[in-house]
Amino acid sequence: MLNNQSSFIIIKKIISKDMNSQNKKSLKILVYSIYIILLDQFSKLLVLNIFGFEKSKNIIPKLLNITLVKNTGAAFSLFSNSTTFLTYTSIIASLILILIIVKSPPRTYFNLIGLSYLLGGTVGNGIDRVFKGYVLDFLELVPITFPIFNIADISINIAIILFIFDTIKTKNISFNTNKNI
Protein backbone atom coordinates (compact mmCIF):
# COMPACT_ATOMS: atom_id res chain seq x y z
CA MET A 1 0.00 0.00 0.00
CA LEU A 2 2.72 2.46 0.95
CA ASN A 3 4.64 1.52 -2.19
CA ASN A 4 1.61 2.30 -4.41
CA GLN A 5 1.21 5.71 -2.75
CA SER A 6 4.90 6.44 -3.25
CA SER A 7 4.64 5.49 -6.93
CA PHE A 8 1.59 7.70 -7.32
CA ILE A 9 3.39 10.67 -5.72
CA ILE A 10 6.44 10.17 -7.96
CA ILE A 11 4.29 9.95 -11.10
CA LYS A 12 2.33 13.03 -10.00
CA LYS A 13 5.57 14.99 -9.53
CA ILE A 14 6.86 13.92 -12.95
CA ILE A 15 3.60 14.95 -14.65
CA SER A 16 3.53 18.22 -12.70
CA LYS A 17 7.14 18.98 -13.65
CA ASP A 18 6.47 18.14 -17.32
CA MET A 19 3.35 20.32 -17.39
CA ASN A 20 5.26 23.11 -15.68
CA SER A 21 7.94 22.85 -18.38
CA GLN A 22 5.27 22.97 -21.10
CA ASN A 23 3.67 26.02 -19.49
CA LYS A 24 7.05 27.76 -19.40
CA LYS A 25 7.58 27.07 -23.10
CA SER A 26 4.12 28.36 -23.94
CA LEU A 27 4.68 31.48 -21.87
CA LYS A 28 8.07 32.06 -23.53
CA ILE A 29 6.51 31.89 -26.99
CA LEU A 30 3.75 34.30 -26.01
CA VAL A 31 6.22 36.77 -24.45
CA TYR A 32 8.50 36.67 -27.52
CA SER A 33 5.46 37.16 -29.72
CA ILE A 34 4.40 40.21 -27.71
CA TYR A 35 7.86 41.73 -28.25
CA ILE A 36 7.51 41.19 -32.00
CA ILE A 37 4.00 42.69 -32.01
CA LEU A 38 5.20 45.74 -30.07
CA LEU A 39 8.20 46.21 -32.38
CA ASP A 40 5.95 45.92 -35.44
CA GLN A 41 3.31 48.32 -34.15
CA PHE A 42 5.87 50.82 -32.82
CA SER A 43 7.77 50.84 -36.12
CA LYS A 44 4.55 51.47 -38.10
CA LEU A 45 3.50 54.28 -35.76
CA LEU A 46 6.96 55.83 -35.90
CA VAL A 47 7.14 55.76 -39.70
CA LEU A 48 3.60 57.11 -39.97
CA ASN A 49 4.34 60.01 -37.63
CA ILE A 50 7.74 60.88 -39.11
CA PHE A 51 7.19 60.34 -42.83
CA GLY A 52 3.45 60.07 -43.45
CA PHE A 53 1.97 58.71 -46.65
CA GLU A 54 3.01 59.46 -50.20
CA LYS A 55 6.60 60.27 -49.24
CA SER A 56 9.67 58.17 -49.78
CA LYS A 57 12.92 58.61 -47.90
CA ASN A 58 16.12 56.88 -48.87
CA ILE A 59 17.66 55.29 -45.79
CA ILE A 60 20.47 53.18 -47.25
CA PRO A 61 21.58 54.47 -50.67
CA LYS A 62 20.76 52.12 -53.52
CA LEU A 63 19.30 49.57 -51.08
CA LEU A 64 16.45 50.68 -48.79
CA ASN A 65 13.73 53.32 -48.84
CA ILE A 66 11.07 54.09 -46.29
CA THR A 67 7.83 54.38 -48.26
CA LEU A 68 4.60 54.11 -46.27
CA VAL A 69 1.72 52.47 -48.13
CA LYS A 70 -1.69 51.03 -47.27
CA ASN A 71 -1.84 47.36 -48.20
CA THR A 72 -5.37 46.00 -48.47
CA GLY A 73 -4.09 42.61 -49.60
CA ALA A 74 -1.93 39.86 -48.17
CA ALA A 75 1.66 38.89 -49.02
CA PHE A 76 2.73 40.17 -52.42
CA SER A 77 -0.63 42.02 -52.61
CA LEU A 78 -2.56 38.78 -53.03
CA PHE A 79 -6.29 39.13 -52.30
CA SER A 80 -6.17 42.93 -52.75
CA ASN A 81 -9.25 44.68 -51.41
CA SER A 82 -10.31 41.55 -49.48
CA THR A 83 -10.03 43.25 -46.09
CA THR A 84 -12.92 41.44 -44.40
CA PHE A 85 -11.72 38.01 -45.53
CA LEU A 86 -8.12 38.76 -44.52
CA THR A 87 -9.20 40.22 -41.16
CA TYR A 88 -11.11 37.06 -40.26
CA THR A 89 -8.26 34.93 -41.56
CA SER A 90 -5.78 36.81 -39.32
CA ILE A 91 -7.99 36.41 -36.27
CA ILE A 92 -8.63 32.71 -36.87
CA ALA A 93 -4.94 32.00 -37.65
CA SER A 94 -3.86 33.83 -34.48
CA LEU A 95 -6.34 31.90 -32.32
CA ILE A 96 -5.27 28.58 -33.85
CA LEU A 97 -1.61 29.43 -33.23
CA ILE A 98 -2.33 30.34 -29.60
CA LEU A 99 -4.25 27.08 -29.16
CA ILE A 100 -1.35 25.09 -30.64
CA ILE A 101 1.15 26.91 -28.42
CA VAL A 102 -0.87 26.33 -25.25
CA LYS A 103 -2.00 22.76 -25.95
CA SER A 104 1.20 21.31 -27.42
CA PRO A 105 4.28 23.47 -26.93
CA PRO A 106 7.15 22.87 -29.35
CA ARG A 107 9.84 20.35 -28.61
CA THR A 108 12.71 22.11 -30.34
CA TYR A 109 14.28 25.52 -29.96
CA PHE A 110 13.83 26.47 -33.63
CA ASN A 111 10.16 25.49 -33.53
CA LEU A 112 9.66 27.57 -30.37
CA ILE A 113 11.25 30.64 -31.93
CA GLY A 114 9.46 30.01 -35.24
CA LEU A 115 6.06 29.92 -33.52
CA SER A 116 6.94 33.15 -31.70
CA TYR A 117 7.78 34.92 -34.95
CA LEU A 118 4.74 33.50 -36.75
CA LEU A 119 2.31 34.52 -34.00
CA GLY A 120 3.93 37.95 -33.63
CA GLY A 121 3.77 38.63 -37.36
CA THR A 122 0.24 37.33 -37.74
CA VAL A 123 -1.08 39.39 -34.83
CA GLY A 124 0.93 42.46 -35.88
CA ASN A 125 -0.65 42.58 -39.32
CA GLY A 126 -3.99 41.45 -37.87
CA ILE A 127 -4.09 44.47 -35.55
CA ASP A 128 -3.72 46.75 -38.57
CA ARG A 129 -6.50 44.97 -40.43
CA VAL A 130 -8.90 45.05 -37.48
CA PHE A 131 -8.34 48.68 -36.49
CA LYS A 132 -7.37 50.33 -39.79
CA GLY A 133 -8.85 48.12 -42.50
CA TYR A 134 -5.42 47.74 -44.14
CA VAL A 135 -1.81 46.88 -43.25
CA LEU A 136 0.88 49.54 -43.10
CA ASP A 137 3.93 48.55 -45.12
CA PHE A 138 7.01 50.76 -45.29
CA LEU A 139 10.23 48.90 -46.14
CA GLU A 140 11.08 49.15 -49.83
CA LEU A 141 14.07 47.39 -51.38
CA VAL A 142 15.37 49.73 -54.07
CA PRO A 143 17.55 47.63 -56.36
CA ILE A 144 14.87 45.04 -57.07
CA THR A 145 11.19 45.11 -57.84
CA PHE A 146 9.79 43.68 -54.65
CA PRO A 147 6.62 44.45 -52.68
CA ILE A 148 6.91 46.94 -49.83
CA PHE A 149 6.81 45.11 -46.47
CA ASN A 150 6.98 45.58 -42.69
CA ILE A 151 8.35 44.00 -39.50
CA ALA A 152 5.40 41.58 -39.23
CA ASP A 153 6.06 40.35 -42.78
CA ILE A 154 9.73 39.84 -41.96
CA SER A 155 8.73 37.91 -38.82
CA ILE A 156 6.46 35.58 -40.77
CA ASN A 157 9.23 34.89 -43.28
CA ILE A 158 11.75 34.24 -40.49
CA ALA A 159 9.25 31.76 -39.01
CA ILE A 160 9.01 29.90 -42.30
CA ILE A 161 12.81 29.71 -42.56
CA LEU A 162 13.05 28.44 -38.96
CA PHE A 163 10.37 25.78 -39.58
CA ILE A 164 12.19 24.57 -42.68
CA PHE A 165 15.52 24.52 -40.84
CA ASP A 166 13.91 22.69 -37.90
CA THR A 167 12.37 20.10 -40.20
CA ILE A 168 15.68 19.45 -41.94
CA LYS A 169 17.59 19.35 -38.66
CA THR A 170 15.22 17.12 -36.70
CA LYS A 171 14.24 14.62 -39.37
CA ASN A 172 16.64 11.92 -40.37
CA ILE A 173 16.48 12.27 -44.09
CA SER A 174 18.36 9.43 -45.57
CA PHE A 175 18.93 9.17 -49.23
CA ASN A 176 19.43 5.68 -50.45
CA THR A 177 22.29 5.79 -52.87
CA ASN A 178 21.89 2.13 -53.76
CA LYS A 179 19.11 2.19 -56.28
CA ASN A 180 17.71 -1.06 -57.53
CA ILE A 181 17.01 -0.82 -61.17
Side-chain angles (χ1 to χ4, degrees):
M1 178 95 170
L2 182 62
N3 192 17
N4 286 341
Q5 280 183 328
S6 298
S7 299
F8 178 74
I9 291 171
I10 291 170
I11 291 170
K12 186 177 174 185
K13 284 183 181 180
I14 291 170
I15 291 171
S16 176
K17 181 181 176 185
D18 188 44
M19 287 181 71
N20 193 20
S21 174
Q22 288 180 346
N23 289 341
K24 284 181 185 177
K25 283 182 181 179
S26 296
L27 185 61
K28 234 183 224 185
I29 293 169
L30 295 174
V31 168
Y32 291 161
S33 297
I34 290 169
Y35 287 138
I36 292 165
I37 295 164
L38 292 173
L39 178 63
D40 176 65
Q41 291 297 304
F42 177 74
S43 66
K44 291 171 182 174
L45 183 64
L46 185 67
V47 169
L48 179 61
N49 287 329
I50 292 174
F51 298 105
F53 290 101
E54 307 301 324
K55 295 178 186 172
S56 187
K57 175 76 174 167
N58 186 258
I59 301 300
I60 301 173
K62 298 182 182 181
L63 182 63
L64 182 67
N65 285 348
I66 298 291
T67 306
L68 190 63
V69 296
K70 296 177 182 179
N71 183 356
T72 58
F76 306 106
S77 296
L78 295 172
F79 303 107
S80 289
N81 299 317
S82 300
T83 305
T84 305
F85 170 72
L86 291 172
T87 300
Y88 286 123
T89 302
S90 290
I91 293 169
I92 291 168
S94 297
L95 292 174
I96 290 171
L97 282 169
I98 291 169
L99 187 64
I100 289 169
I101 290 164
V102 171
K103 292 294 182 183
S104 68
R107 292 186 172 101
T108 68
Y109 174 78
F110 292 109
N111 199 269
L112 183 144
I113 300 300
L115 282 171
S116 301
Y117 275 95
L118 185 59
L119 180 62
T122 303
V123 172
N125 280 341
I127 289 171
D128 283 8
R129 286 192 181 97
V130 169
F131 292 105
K132 295 179 181 96
Y134 54 85
V135 173
L136 287 174
D137 289 332
F138 59 90
L139 296 169
E140 179 183 23
L141 296 174
V142 177
I144 60 173
T145 304
F146 194 78
I148 299 173
F149 55 97
N150 60 38
I151 302 296
D153 298 334
I154 293 169
S155 297
I156 292 168
N157 284 290
I158 289 172
I160 292 166
I161 291 166
L162 288 169
F163 292 145
I164 291 168
F165 182 77
D166 184 60
T167 301
I168 292 169
K169 188 174 184 285
T170 58
K171 304 291 182 208
N172 276 334
I173 301 173
S174 62
F175 295 99
N176 187 356
T177 55
N178 298 329
K179 294 181 182 177
N180 295 332
I181 299 179

